[in-house]
Amino acid sequence: MNRDGAQVSIWQDIAPAYQTMNRLRQDATYDVVIAGGGITGFTTALLLQSQGKKCVLAEANALGFGTTGGTTAHLNTMLDATYPEIERDFGAEAAKDVARAVAEAITLIRTLSDRYHIPCDFFYKPGYLYAQQEKQTGELQKIMEASRRAGIDIMYTDHIPVPIPFMKACRFENQAQFNITAYLTGLAQAFEQAGGIILQQCLVSLPDADGIVPTSVGNIRAKYTVFATHIPPGINILHFRCAPYRSYAAAVTLNDNNYPDGLAYDMEDPYHYFRTQEVYGRSYLIAGGFDHKTGHEVNTEIPFRDLHAYLKQYYNLKSVAYQWSSQYYIPADGLPYIGKLPGYDQVYTGTGFNGNGMIFGTLTGLILSDMIFGKENPYAGLFNPSRIKPIAGFAAFIRENADVVSQFIGKRFSYEQISSLAALANGEATLADYEGKKIALYKDDKGKLYSLDPVCPHAGCIVAWNSAEKTWDCPCHGGRYAIDGSLLTGPAVKGLTRLSMNNL
Ligand code: FES
Protein backbone atom coordinates (compact mmCIF):
# COMPACT_ATOMS: atom_id res chain seq x y z
CA MET A 1 0.00 0.00 0.00
CA ASN A 2 1.33 3.46 -0.90
CA ARG A 3 1.11 6.49 1.34
CA ASP A 4 1.71 10.22 1.05
CA GLY A 5 5.31 10.24 2.27
CA ALA A 6 8.68 8.49 2.17
CA GLN A 7 8.40 6.97 5.65
CA VAL A 8 6.57 3.65 5.94
CA SER A 9 3.77 3.19 8.44
CA ILE A 10 3.01 -0.13 10.15
CA TRP A 11 -0.18 -0.42 8.07
CA GLN A 12 1.48 -0.16 4.68
CA ASP A 13 3.49 -3.34 5.00
CA ILE A 14 0.50 -5.52 5.77
CA ALA A 15 -1.83 -4.60 2.93
CA PRO A 16 -1.25 -5.46 -0.72
CA ALA A 17 -2.38 -2.98 -3.40
CA TYR A 18 -6.16 -3.23 -3.78
CA GLN A 19 -7.47 -4.66 -7.05
CA THR A 20 -10.84 -3.27 -8.06
CA MET A 21 -13.68 -5.39 -9.42
CA ASN A 22 -16.51 -3.38 -10.98
CA ARG A 23 -16.35 -1.07 -14.00
CA LEU A 24 -17.65 2.48 -14.37
CA ARG A 25 -20.34 3.06 -17.00
CA GLN A 26 -19.62 6.43 -18.59
CA ASP A 27 -23.22 6.75 -19.87
CA ALA A 28 -24.82 6.06 -16.48
CA THR A 29 -26.06 8.55 -13.89
CA TYR A 30 -24.97 7.72 -10.38
CA ASP A 31 -26.54 8.80 -7.13
CA VAL A 32 -23.34 9.73 -5.34
CA VAL A 33 -19.69 10.24 -6.22
CA ILE A 34 -17.51 9.94 -3.14
CA ALA A 35 -14.02 11.41 -3.49
CA GLY A 36 -11.43 9.92 -1.14
CA GLY A 37 -10.46 6.31 -0.44
CA GLY A 38 -9.87 6.54 3.30
CA ILE A 39 -12.06 5.61 6.25
CA THR A 40 -14.41 8.56 5.70
CA GLY A 41 -15.00 7.79 2.04
CA PHE A 42 -15.48 4.05 2.44
CA THR A 43 -17.75 4.29 5.47
CA THR A 44 -19.95 6.80 3.64
CA ALA A 45 -19.88 4.82 0.40
CA LEU A 46 -20.74 1.50 2.03
CA LEU A 47 -23.61 2.93 4.09
CA LEU A 48 -25.09 4.52 0.97
CA GLN A 49 -24.54 1.64 -1.43
CA SER A 50 -25.77 -1.05 0.96
CA GLN A 51 -29.04 0.85 1.40
CA GLY A 52 -29.70 1.20 -2.30
CA LYS A 53 -27.80 4.20 -3.64
CA LYS A 54 -25.65 3.79 -6.75
CA CYS A 55 -22.19 5.03 -5.79
CA VAL A 56 -18.76 5.60 -7.28
CA LEU A 57 -15.82 6.02 -4.94
CA ALA A 58 -12.88 7.79 -6.58
CA GLU A 59 -9.47 7.99 -4.94
CA ALA A 60 -6.77 10.29 -6.37
CA ASN A 61 -4.05 7.76 -5.56
CA ALA A 62 -4.63 4.33 -4.01
CA LEU A 63 -6.73 3.15 -1.08
CA GLY A 64 -5.53 4.46 2.28
CA PHE A 65 -2.97 6.75 0.62
CA GLY A 66 -3.80 9.81 2.76
CA THR A 67 -4.01 10.12 6.51
CA THR A 68 -5.92 6.84 6.92
CA GLY A 69 -2.69 5.00 6.04
CA GLY A 70 -0.81 7.07 8.61
CA THR A 71 -3.16 6.80 11.57
CA THR A 72 -2.32 5.17 14.90
CA ALA A 73 -5.90 3.80 14.91
CA HIS A 74 -7.06 4.81 18.38
CA LEU A 75 -10.84 4.66 18.74
CA ASN A 76 -11.68 6.93 21.63
CA THR A 77 -14.60 8.80 23.08
CA MET A 78 -12.15 11.05 24.96
CA LEU A 79 -11.27 13.50 22.21
CA ASP A 80 -8.58 16.08 21.45
CA ALA A 81 -11.20 18.73 22.25
CA THR A 82 -11.85 18.00 25.94
CA TYR A 83 -15.35 17.85 27.43
CA PRO A 84 -14.75 20.99 29.58
CA GLU A 85 -13.89 22.84 26.34
CA ILE A 86 -16.90 21.43 24.48
CA GLU A 87 -19.22 22.30 27.40
CA ARG A 88 -17.81 25.81 27.63
CA ASP A 89 -18.04 26.49 23.89
CA PHE A 90 -21.13 24.56 22.82
CA GLY A 91 -23.07 23.87 26.05
CA ALA A 92 -23.73 20.85 28.29
CA GLU A 93 -26.30 19.24 25.97
CA ALA A 94 -23.91 19.48 23.04
CA ALA A 95 -21.18 17.78 25.11
CA LYS A 96 -23.59 14.88 25.74
CA ASP A 97 -24.38 14.74 22.02
CA VAL A 98 -20.69 14.64 21.12
CA ALA A 99 -20.07 11.80 23.59
CA ARG A 100 -23.07 9.87 22.20
CA ALA A 101 -22.08 10.52 18.59
CA VAL A 102 -18.51 9.29 19.00
CA ALA A 103 -19.67 6.21 20.94
CA GLU A 104 -22.03 5.45 18.02
CA ALA A 105 -19.07 5.75 15.64
CA ILE A 106 -17.12 3.12 17.61
CA THR A 107 -20.18 0.87 17.65
CA LEU A 108 -20.55 1.28 13.88
CA ILE A 109 -16.97 0.13 13.29
CA ARG A 110 -17.72 -2.91 15.44
CA THR A 111 -21.01 -3.56 13.64
CA LEU A 112 -19.56 -3.27 10.14
CA SER A 113 -16.58 -5.46 10.96
CA ASP A 114 -18.96 -8.13 12.35
CA ARG A 115 -21.50 -7.82 9.55
CA TYR A 116 -18.92 -8.13 6.78
CA HIS A 117 -16.63 -10.54 8.66
CA ILE A 118 -13.66 -8.18 8.49
CA PRO A 119 -10.68 -9.64 10.39
CA CYS A 120 -9.52 -6.25 11.65
CA ASP A 121 -8.58 -7.16 15.26
CA PHE A 122 -11.19 -4.85 16.75
CA PHE A 123 -10.86 -4.89 20.55
CA TYR A 124 -12.49 -2.80 23.22
CA LYS A 125 -9.81 -1.43 25.54
CA PRO A 126 -9.78 0.92 28.50
CA GLY A 127 -8.25 4.36 27.96
CA TYR A 128 -6.02 6.19 30.46
CA LEU A 129 -5.26 9.88 30.83
CA TYR A 130 -2.59 10.81 33.36
CA ALA A 131 -1.27 13.98 34.95
CA GLN A 132 2.44 14.33 35.68
CA GLN A 133 2.48 17.78 37.25
CA GLU A 134 0.48 19.51 39.96
CA LYS A 135 -1.05 21.91 37.44
CA GLN A 136 -2.27 19.01 35.31
CA THR A 137 -4.01 17.30 38.23
CA GLY A 138 -6.51 20.19 38.53
CA GLU A 139 -7.12 20.01 34.81
CA LEU A 140 -7.60 16.25 35.04
CA GLN A 141 -10.23 16.73 37.75
CA LYS A 142 -12.14 19.15 35.50
CA ILE A 143 -11.88 16.77 32.55
CA MET A 144 -13.19 13.92 34.67
CA GLU A 145 -16.17 15.88 35.98
CA ALA A 146 -17.18 17.28 32.57
CA SER A 147 -16.67 13.89 30.89
CA ARG A 148 -18.96 12.27 33.47
CA ARG A 149 -21.60 14.92 32.89
CA ALA A 150 -21.34 14.14 29.17
CA GLY A 151 -21.98 10.46 29.90
CA ILE A 152 -18.47 8.99 29.73
CA ASP A 153 -17.77 6.06 32.07
CA ILE A 154 -14.64 7.42 33.77
CA MET A 155 -13.01 7.07 37.20
CA TYR A 156 -9.72 7.68 38.98
CA THR A 157 -7.24 4.82 38.92
CA ASP A 158 -3.96 3.96 40.66
CA HIS A 159 -2.67 2.09 37.67
CA ILE A 160 -1.69 3.10 34.14
CA PRO A 161 -0.42 0.62 31.51
CA VAL A 162 2.75 2.59 30.64
CA PRO A 163 5.94 2.68 32.78
CA ILE A 164 5.90 6.45 33.13
CA PRO A 165 5.73 8.31 36.47
CA PHE A 166 2.43 10.09 37.10
CA MET A 167 0.66 11.95 39.89
CA LYS A 168 -2.98 11.23 39.09
CA ALA A 169 -4.70 9.22 36.40
CA CYS A 170 -8.15 8.33 35.23
CA ARG A 171 -9.44 5.34 33.35
CA PHE A 172 -12.32 5.44 30.87
CA GLU A 173 -14.13 2.44 29.46
CA ASN A 174 -15.28 1.27 26.03
CA GLN A 175 -12.47 2.70 23.97
CA ALA A 176 -11.18 0.49 21.17
CA GLN A 177 -8.42 -0.24 18.69
CA PHE A 178 -8.25 -2.01 15.35
CA ASN A 179 -6.15 -2.73 12.30
CA ILE A 180 -7.06 0.04 9.89
CA THR A 181 -5.78 -1.53 6.67
CA ALA A 182 -7.66 -4.74 7.29
CA TYR A 183 -10.77 -2.72 8.08
CA LEU A 184 -10.44 -0.46 5.04
CA THR A 185 -9.88 -3.38 2.71
CA GLY A 186 -12.94 -5.10 4.21
CA LEU A 187 -15.09 -2.01 3.66
CA ALA A 188 -13.86 -1.73 0.08
CA GLN A 189 -14.70 -5.38 -0.65
CA ALA A 190 -18.15 -5.07 0.93
CA PHE A 191 -18.80 -1.90 -1.06
CA GLU A 192 -17.88 -3.62 -4.33
CA GLN A 193 -19.90 -6.71 -3.46
CA ALA A 194 -22.90 -4.43 -2.95
CA GLY A 195 -22.38 -3.11 -6.50
CA GLY A 196 -20.27 -0.02 -5.78
CA ILE A 197 -17.54 1.14 -8.14
CA ILE A 198 -14.02 2.05 -7.03
CA LEU A 199 -11.75 4.16 -9.20
CA GLN A 200 -8.13 4.54 -8.14
CA GLN A 201 -5.80 7.20 -9.60
CA CYS A 202 -8.86 9.36 -10.18
CA LEU A 203 -8.85 12.96 -8.95
CA VAL A 204 -12.27 14.57 -8.47
CA SER A 205 -13.01 18.31 -8.81
CA LEU A 206 -16.04 20.28 -7.69
CA PRO A 207 -19.18 19.50 -9.69
CA ASP A 208 -21.06 22.02 -11.78
CA ALA A 209 -24.68 23.01 -11.22
CA ASP A 210 -25.93 20.27 -13.61
CA GLY A 211 -24.39 17.47 -11.57
CA ILE A 212 -21.43 16.90 -13.86
CA VAL A 213 -18.49 15.85 -11.71
CA PRO A 214 -15.20 16.44 -13.50
CA THR A 215 -12.52 13.88 -12.77
CA SER A 216 -9.07 13.14 -14.15
CA VAL A 217 -10.52 10.16 -16.05
CA GLY A 218 -13.52 11.99 -17.50
CA ASN A 219 -16.82 13.40 -16.31
CA ILE A 220 -19.22 11.45 -14.12
CA ARG A 221 -22.88 12.39 -13.82
CA ALA A 222 -24.17 12.21 -10.24
CA LYS A 223 -26.83 13.76 -8.01
CA TYR A 224 -24.54 14.25 -5.03
CA THR A 225 -20.82 14.56 -4.43
CA VAL A 226 -19.07 13.84 -1.14
CA PHE A 227 -15.54 15.11 -0.54
CA ALA A 228 -13.99 12.69 1.92
CA THR A 229 -10.57 14.06 1.02
CA HIS A 230 -9.54 15.18 4.53
CA ILE A 231 -10.14 18.77 3.40
CA PRO A 232 -12.37 19.69 0.43
CA PRO A 233 -10.95 21.18 -2.79
CA GLY A 234 -11.51 24.77 -3.93
CA ILE A 235 -11.25 27.73 -1.60
CA ASN A 236 -14.00 28.30 0.90
CA ILE A 237 -14.56 29.21 4.51
CA LEU A 238 -13.49 25.77 5.76
CA HIS A 239 -9.93 26.43 4.57
CA PHE A 240 -9.75 29.34 6.97
CA ARG A 241 -11.30 27.36 9.82
CA CYS A 242 -8.95 24.37 9.71
CA ALA A 243 -5.20 24.46 10.35
CA PRO A 244 -2.93 21.61 9.17
CA TYR A 245 -0.64 19.85 11.70
CA ARG A 246 1.72 16.89 11.62
CA SER A 247 2.08 14.18 14.20
CA TYR A 248 4.94 11.67 14.51
CA ALA A 249 4.52 7.99 15.24
CA ALA A 250 6.67 4.89 15.66
CA ALA A 251 5.93 1.17 15.99
CA VAL A 252 8.66 -0.38 18.11
CA THR A 253 9.42 -3.82 19.53
CA LEU A 254 10.49 -4.30 23.15
CA ASN A 255 12.99 -6.62 24.82
CA ASP A 256 10.84 -7.22 27.89
CA ASN A 257 7.36 -7.54 26.34
CA ASN A 258 6.15 -4.61 28.43
CA TYR A 259 3.45 -3.77 25.89
CA PRO A 260 0.58 -1.66 27.27
CA ASP A 261 -2.86 -3.20 27.58
CA GLY A 262 -4.97 -0.16 26.82
CA LEU A 263 -4.75 3.25 25.23
CA ALA A 264 -2.72 5.83 27.16
CA TYR A 265 -2.34 9.59 26.84
CA ASP A 266 -0.36 12.11 28.88
CA MET A 267 -1.36 15.75 29.31
CA GLU A 268 1.61 17.50 27.74
CA ASP A 269 1.09 19.89 24.84
CA PRO A 270 1.54 18.27 22.36
CA TYR A 271 0.68 15.08 24.18
CA HIS A 272 2.23 11.60 23.83
CA TYR A 273 0.05 8.59 23.10
CA PHE A 274 0.56 4.84 23.29
CA ARG A 275 -1.06 1.53 22.45
CA THR A 276 -0.18 -2.00 21.36
CA GLN A 277 -0.86 -3.62 17.99
CA GLU A 278 -0.29 -7.23 17.11
CA VAL A 279 0.51 -8.02 13.49
CA TYR A 280 1.12 -11.60 12.31
CA GLY A 281 1.64 -12.70 15.94
CA ARG A 282 4.22 -10.02 16.69
CA SER A 283 3.54 -7.21 19.16
CA TYR A 284 4.41 -3.58 18.55
CA LEU A 285 4.20 -0.59 20.82
CA ILE A 286 2.74 2.24 18.74
CA ALA A 287 3.62 5.62 20.21
CA GLY A 288 3.25 9.14 18.94
CA GLY A 289 3.58 12.81 19.67
CA PHE A 290 5.82 15.82 18.92
CA ASP A 291 3.17 17.43 16.73
CA HIS A 292 3.74 20.75 15.02
CA LYS A 293 2.01 22.96 12.52
CA THR A 294 2.60 21.73 8.94
CA GLY A 295 5.53 23.49 7.29
CA HIS A 296 6.72 25.00 10.58
CA GLU A 297 9.48 22.54 11.49
CA VAL A 298 12.67 23.22 9.57
CA ASN A 299 14.11 19.74 10.18
CA THR A 300 11.37 17.12 10.32
CA GLU A 301 13.90 14.44 11.34
CA ILE A 302 14.08 16.07 14.78
CA PRO A 303 10.59 15.08 15.98
CA PHE A 304 11.45 11.43 15.13
CA ARG A 305 14.68 11.68 17.11
CA ASP A 306 12.79 13.24 20.01
CA LEU A 307 10.20 10.47 19.88
CA HIS A 308 12.89 7.75 19.92
CA ALA A 309 14.71 9.45 22.80
CA TYR A 310 11.46 9.78 24.72
CA LEU A 311 10.62 6.09 24.25
CA LYS A 312 14.14 5.02 25.24
CA GLN A 313 13.73 6.88 28.51
CA TYR A 314 10.88 4.60 29.56
CA TYR A 315 11.06 1.44 27.46
CA ASN A 316 13.61 -1.29 26.81
CA LEU A 317 13.57 -0.87 23.01
CA LYS A 318 14.59 -3.76 20.80
CA SER A 319 14.01 -2.15 17.42
CA VAL A 320 12.21 0.70 15.75
CA ALA A 321 10.28 -1.29 13.18
CA TYR A 322 8.39 1.62 11.60
CA GLN A 323 8.27 5.37 11.90
CA TRP A 324 6.06 7.76 10.00
CA SER A 325 4.40 11.14 10.24
CA SER A 326 0.89 12.09 9.32
CA GLN A 327 -1.22 15.18 8.77
CA TYR A 328 -4.40 16.24 10.55
CA TYR A 329 -6.54 19.36 10.63
CA ILE A 330 -7.42 21.26 13.78
CA PRO A 331 -10.81 22.98 13.55
CA ALA A 332 -11.06 26.56 14.81
CA ASP A 333 -13.76 25.87 17.39
CA GLY A 334 -12.75 22.35 18.39
CA LEU A 335 -15.41 20.27 16.59
CA PRO A 336 -15.25 18.90 13.05
CA TYR A 337 -17.26 20.24 10.13
CA ILE A 338 -19.58 17.57 8.73
CA GLY A 339 -22.42 18.25 6.31
CA LYS A 340 -23.08 20.40 3.25
CA LEU A 341 -20.06 22.18 1.84
CA PRO A 342 -20.78 25.92 2.40
CA GLY A 343 -22.01 27.45 -0.85
CA TYR A 344 -23.23 24.15 -2.35
CA ASP A 345 -26.51 22.32 -2.19
CA GLN A 346 -25.64 18.83 -3.39
CA VAL A 347 -22.03 18.67 -2.18
CA TYR A 348 -21.08 17.25 1.23
CA THR A 349 -17.88 17.00 3.20
CA GLY A 350 -16.29 16.15 6.54
CA THR A 351 -13.11 17.90 7.74
CA GLY A 352 -11.36 19.29 10.82
CA PHE A 353 -11.16 15.90 12.55
CA ASN A 354 -8.23 16.91 14.77
CA GLY A 355 -6.36 13.78 15.98
CA ASN A 356 -9.59 11.76 16.04
CA GLY A 357 -9.89 10.95 12.35
CA MET A 358 -10.96 7.30 12.68
CA ILE A 359 -13.88 8.34 14.87
CA PHE A 360 -14.94 11.47 13.06
CA GLY A 361 -14.39 9.90 9.64
CA THR A 362 -16.80 7.13 10.67
CA LEU A 363 -19.25 9.64 12.15
CA THR A 364 -19.11 11.53 8.84
CA GLY A 365 -20.34 8.37 7.13
CA LEU A 366 -23.27 8.12 9.53
CA ILE A 367 -24.28 11.77 9.23
CA LEU A 368 -23.80 12.19 5.47
CA SER A 369 -25.58 8.95 4.57
CA ASP A 370 -28.59 10.07 6.63
CA MET A 371 -28.53 13.50 5.00
CA ILE A 372 -28.36 12.07 1.49
CA PHE A 373 -31.27 9.71 2.27
CA GLY A 374 -33.20 12.74 3.59
CA LYS A 375 -33.30 11.31 7.11
CA GLU A 376 -33.01 13.45 10.21
CA ASN A 377 -29.67 12.96 11.92
CA PRO A 378 -29.52 14.07 15.57
CA TYR A 379 -25.95 15.37 15.20
CA ALA A 380 -26.18 17.17 11.85
CA GLY A 381 -26.86 20.58 13.45
CA LEU A 382 -23.99 20.35 15.92
CA PHE A 383 -21.39 19.59 13.24
CA ASN A 384 -22.88 21.79 10.50
CA PRO A 385 -19.97 23.27 8.48
CA SER A 386 -21.84 26.57 8.14
CA ARG A 387 -22.15 27.08 11.89
CA ILE A 388 -20.88 30.37 13.20
CA LYS A 389 -19.15 30.16 16.56
CA PRO A 390 -17.51 33.56 17.00
CA ILE A 391 -16.75 32.95 20.68
CA ALA A 392 -15.66 29.33 20.65
CA GLY A 393 -12.10 29.00 19.43
CA PHE A 394 -11.94 32.64 18.42
CA ALA A 395 -8.32 33.09 19.50
CA ALA A 396 -7.25 30.02 17.56
CA PHE A 397 -9.22 31.17 14.54
CA ILE A 398 -7.41 34.52 14.52
CA ARG A 399 -4.04 32.87 15.10
CA GLU A 400 -4.43 30.41 12.23
CA ASN A 401 -5.66 33.13 9.92
CA ALA A 402 -2.83 35.45 10.89
CA ASP A 403 -0.51 32.67 9.85
CA VAL A 404 -2.29 32.27 6.53
CA VAL A 405 -2.17 36.01 5.90
CA SER A 406 1.53 36.29 6.71
CA GLN A 407 2.13 33.40 4.31
CA PHE A 408 0.35 35.31 1.57
CA ILE A 409 2.14 38.62 1.98
CA GLY A 410 5.39 37.94 3.73
CA LYS A 411 7.10 34.71 2.98
CA ARG A 412 7.67 35.13 -0.72
CA PHE A 413 10.08 37.94 0.07
CA SER A 414 12.19 36.21 2.69
CA TYR A 415 13.77 33.21 1.00
CA GLU A 416 16.93 31.67 2.19
CA GLN A 417 19.61 32.48 -0.38
CA ILE A 418 21.97 29.95 -1.87
CA SER A 419 25.04 30.93 -3.84
CA SER A 420 24.63 28.29 -6.51
CA LEU A 421 22.78 25.08 -7.24
CA ALA A 422 25.99 23.23 -6.38
CA ALA A 423 25.51 24.22 -2.75
CA LEU A 424 22.73 21.67 -2.49
CA ALA A 425 23.88 18.26 -1.27
CA ASN A 426 22.30 15.03 -2.52
CA GLY A 427 19.06 14.29 -0.66
CA GLU A 428 18.59 17.94 0.33
CA ALA A 429 16.06 20.55 -0.64
CA THR A 430 15.83 24.29 -0.36
CA LEU A 431 13.74 27.26 -1.34
CA ALA A 432 16.15 29.28 -3.40
CA ASP A 433 16.32 32.68 -5.01
CA TYR A 434 18.07 32.02 -8.30
CA GLU A 435 18.63 34.85 -10.75
CA GLY A 436 15.57 36.69 -9.53
CA LYS A 437 13.31 33.61 -9.62
CA LYS A 438 11.91 31.82 -6.59
CA ILE A 439 12.31 28.08 -6.92
CA ALA A 440 11.87 24.95 -4.84
CA LEU A 441 14.86 22.69 -5.39
CA TYR A 442 15.44 19.08 -4.44
CA LYS A 443 18.45 16.96 -5.33
CA ASP A 444 17.82 13.23 -5.05
CA ASP A 445 20.33 10.71 -3.73
CA LYS A 446 21.84 10.28 -7.19
CA GLY A 447 22.20 14.01 -7.71
CA LYS A 448 19.20 14.48 -10.01
CA LEU A 449 17.76 17.96 -9.53
CA TYR A 450 14.03 18.66 -9.34
CA SER A 451 13.02 22.30 -9.65
CA LEU A 452 9.52 23.53 -8.96
CA ASP A 453 7.60 26.73 -8.60
CA PRO A 454 7.01 26.80 -4.80
CA VAL A 455 3.74 28.72 -5.11
CA CYS A 456 0.99 26.38 -3.95
CA PRO A 457 -1.64 26.18 -6.72
CA HIS A 458 -4.44 26.12 -4.15
CA ALA A 459 -4.28 29.72 -2.95
CA GLY A 460 -0.77 30.94 -3.52
CA CYS A 461 1.11 30.21 -0.27
CA ILE A 462 4.71 29.05 -0.38
CA VAL A 463 5.38 25.39 0.31
CA ALA A 464 7.99 24.20 2.85
CA TRP A 465 10.25 21.14 2.66
CA ASN A 466 9.45 18.12 4.83
CA SER A 467 12.81 16.34 5.04
CA ALA A 468 11.55 13.19 6.77
CA GLU A 469 8.72 12.40 4.37
CA LYS A 470 10.47 14.01 1.37
CA THR A 471 7.50 16.11 0.39
CA TRP A 472 6.69 19.77 -0.12
CA ASP A 473 4.02 20.75 2.43
CA CYS A 474 1.90 23.89 2.33
CA PRO A 475 1.58 25.58 5.73
CA CYS A 476 -1.69 27.33 4.84
CA HIS A 477 -4.22 24.55 4.22
CA GLY A 478 -2.01 21.49 4.14
CA GLY A 479 -1.63 20.82 0.40
CA ARG A 480 1.19 18.29 -0.08
CA TYR A 481 3.35 17.58 -3.12
CA ALA A 482 5.88 14.95 -4.19
CA ILE A 483 9.46 15.77 -5.15
CA ASP A 484 8.45 15.98 -8.81
CA GLY A 485 5.66 18.41 -7.91
CA SER A 486 2.78 15.99 -8.34
CA LEU A 487 -0.15 16.41 -5.98
CA LEU A 488 -0.19 14.05 -2.99
CA THR A 489 -3.01 15.31 -0.82
CA GLY A 490 -4.82 18.48 0.11
CA PRO A 491 -7.25 20.99 -1.24
CA ALA A 492 -5.36 21.74 -4.48
CA VAL A 493 -6.43 19.83 -7.58
CA LYS A 494 -3.12 20.03 -9.40
CA GLY A 495 0.54 19.79 -8.53
CA LEU A 496 3.33 22.36 -8.32
CA THR A 497 4.54 23.69 -11.66
CA ARG A 498 7.73 22.01 -12.80
CA LEU A 499 10.51 24.31 -13.99
CA SER A 500 12.92 22.93 -16.52
CA MET A 501 16.56 23.85 -16.05
CA ASN A 502 16.25 25.97 -19.22
CA ASN A 503 13.68 28.12 -17.43
CA LEU A 504 16.04 28.96 -14.57
FE1 FES B 1 -3.99 26.38 0.42
FE2 FES B 1 -1.49 25.80 -0.19
S1 FES B 1 -3.00 24.46 0.55
S2 FES B 1 -2.46 27.73 -0.29
Side-chain angles (χ1 to χ4, degrees), residues 331-352:
D333 63 13
L335 291 186
Y337 302 99
I338 303 169
K340 280 191 179 173
L341 184 65
Y344 291 84
D345 224 18
Q346 317 278 73
V347 181
Y348 296 83
T349 196
T351 189

Side-chain angles (χ1 to χ4, degrees), residues 231 234-235 239-240 244 329 404 407-408 454-463 473-481 489-492 496:
I231 188 131
I235 299 178
H239 297 107
F240 294 92
Y329 286 91
V404 169
Q407 284 289 333
F408 276 117
V455 179
C456 176
H458 177 236
C461 292
I462 297 299
V463 295
D473 297 356
C474 181
C476 286
H477 317 109
R480 300 185 59 239
Y481 306 91
T489 57
L496 299 175

Side-chain angles (χ1 to χ4, degrees), residues 209-224:
D210 299 327
I212 303 293
V213 187
T215 81
S216 55
V217 300
N219 290 342
I220 302 175
R221 189 176 281 278
K223 291 187 201 129
Y224 304 99

Side-chain angles (χ1 to χ4, degrees), residues 153-183:
D153 182 0
I154 183 169
M155 66 187 83
Y156 277 123
T157 179
D158 294 334
H159 162 80
I160 61 172
V162 290
I164 297 174
F166 67 99
M167 294 177 79
K168 244 183 169 138
C170 59
R171 168 183 162 128
F172 33 99
E173 305 302 327
N174 298 319
Q175 313 300 296
Q177 64 178 51
F178 69 155
N179 176 328
I180 180 58
T181 33
Y183 182 67

